[in-house]
Amino acid sequence: MRVHLAMLWFFVSILLHQGVFASETNILPTPRDNECSAGDDLCKEEIHTRVLHKPENVDGQESRGDKGEIRNPFEFFGAFKRLGTSWKSVLDVYVETIRSAGGKDHNGDVFVDDLDAGLIALLDMIEKDKENCVDDQDRLRMWMFRAVPCDEFGRSINDLLSSFLLWSVVEGAQGEECGLLGGINRKTNAAKINVSKAFRRVEAYAAWMDVVEADLLKPSLTAASVKKSWDAFRMRITYDDCRRIVWWMDLGRADMTAIKDLPPKDIMRLFVWVSHLIIFQEEGMKNGIVFIDNMSHVSFWDYMTMLPLQLGMKLDKFMINCTPLQTKLVVFMNRPVWADIGYGILSVFLTKETKNRVNMVHGDRQSAVIEVVGECCVPEGFNDLNGKSEVDDIAELQFQQIHH
């Protein structure tokens, strides 16, 4: 069975991730906090009301790989059965993943005022953990960070740990001004850093990287080693006018056949590489991340069968529970009918804060994207937008080094 849980990261799952990345609040409330919970029959009427509207059509054209496209909620639910699972099963997996993501402040946590002090305290916590597990060789090995591609990006383990400290800044401080949609993250000089929370996240990250170490080290995780996969997915990583990182996903022009032919290991390596490319951008990590996804001509069946189930679960674990990425806004444009249906259903379970970080573009796509990234920061060749050839493309700079 090949059910594309990983690609739900680009649509359904990313809507869940962004709330965790940005604030680490529980974006899927327990039933007592929200009258509508996953799998609750009482939700059916509300779901039916939210999804029975006319979704955005992509220029009146059918999606690629049309095998009887999804046109209503009932077909949407039924389609998962044809994939060998159910919508409830998929949703339950994400609910459980989100609720086990951690990241909350605990009694007794250690707080500091700046990154330098935070790094000293975090390194001390790691050393103490090593001392307490001298007979646990597996745990000692994970703290060696052998699979982290520091050399690839010219960074150090201290740089890596600093990104987790940035992620752990407590709520309540004021951020700097940004006129673009989504704003920017709070600054470390305006709030305290929860070092204990950073340690818990680093611990999860180190354990995950240790499990997949063999796949990341042979061959070495480099731009050259992921270039074929990168080209198939048609991604871009740039900066916008607020110096936030923008992750552009042009699935409408992605090579679906090539993606399905890629070994799962290669796809996993690609997303681990991209994640570290972003993690090691200190300015972007301070200001936040924006995802922009073009979904034109992407059929439900292509979207949901891109990757194997186990790979999807592995990537979701990494992105939700392990990385220090902080998302400010998620933008979906050129959505097929099935995508709007899926969001209509999912929105029943999302908090207001989470929904505010999702921008479902309608109408003038050029103007909508400019409001997000700024007029001079739309890359040339993304969908049908009028982009610029000279943008701050950090991924392209990395790939250019292959030949040097």
Side-chain angles (χ1 to χ4, degrees), residues 24-35:
E24 284 303 305
T25 56
N26 188 356
I27 67 169
L28 290 173
T30 58
R32 65 173 177 267
D33 297 325
N34 187 329
E35 72 279 6

Side-chain angles (χ1 to χ4, degrees), residues 279-292:
I279 287 170
F280 285 127
Q281 304 296 319
E282 183 178 357
E283 186 176 20
M285 290 296 291
K286 286 182 178 179
N287 294 329
I289 303 167
V290 174
F291 289 86
I292 301 182

Side-chain angles (χ1 to χ4, degrees), residues 92-115:
D92 285 347
V93 168
Y94 282 95
V95 170
E96 179 62 27
T97 303
I98 290 297
R99 286 180 176 163
S100 63
K104 296 182 179 180
D105 296 335
H106 297 168
N107 290 333
D109 280 354
V110 175
F111 293 85
V112 298
D113 294 321
D114 59 71
L115 274 177

Side-chain angles (χ1 to χ4, degrees), residues 52-63:
L52 289 183
H53 64 284
K54 183 178 180 181
E56 180 183 14
N57 197 337
V58 186
D59 301 325
Q61 300 181 42
E62 293 296 322
S63 299

Side-chain angles (χ1 to χ4, degrees), residues 20-71:
V20 176
F21 292 163
S23 65
E24 284 303 305
T25 56
N26 188 356
I27 67 169
L28 290 173
T30 58
R32 65 173 177 267
D33 297 325
N34 187 329
E35 72 279 6
C36 195
S37 60
D40 190 345
D41 289 339
L42 296 178
C43 294
K44 288 182 178 178
E45 183 176 353
E46 183 177 357
I47 291 174
H48 184 78
T49 300
R50 294 194 183 204
V51 300
L52 289 183
H53 64 284
K54 183 178 180 181
E56 180 183 14
N57 197 337
V58 186
D59 301 325
Q61 300 181 42
E62 293 296 322
S63 299
R64 297 179 298 176
D66 182 57
K67 300 177 182 177
E69 285 305 301
I70 310 303
R71 299 298 176 188

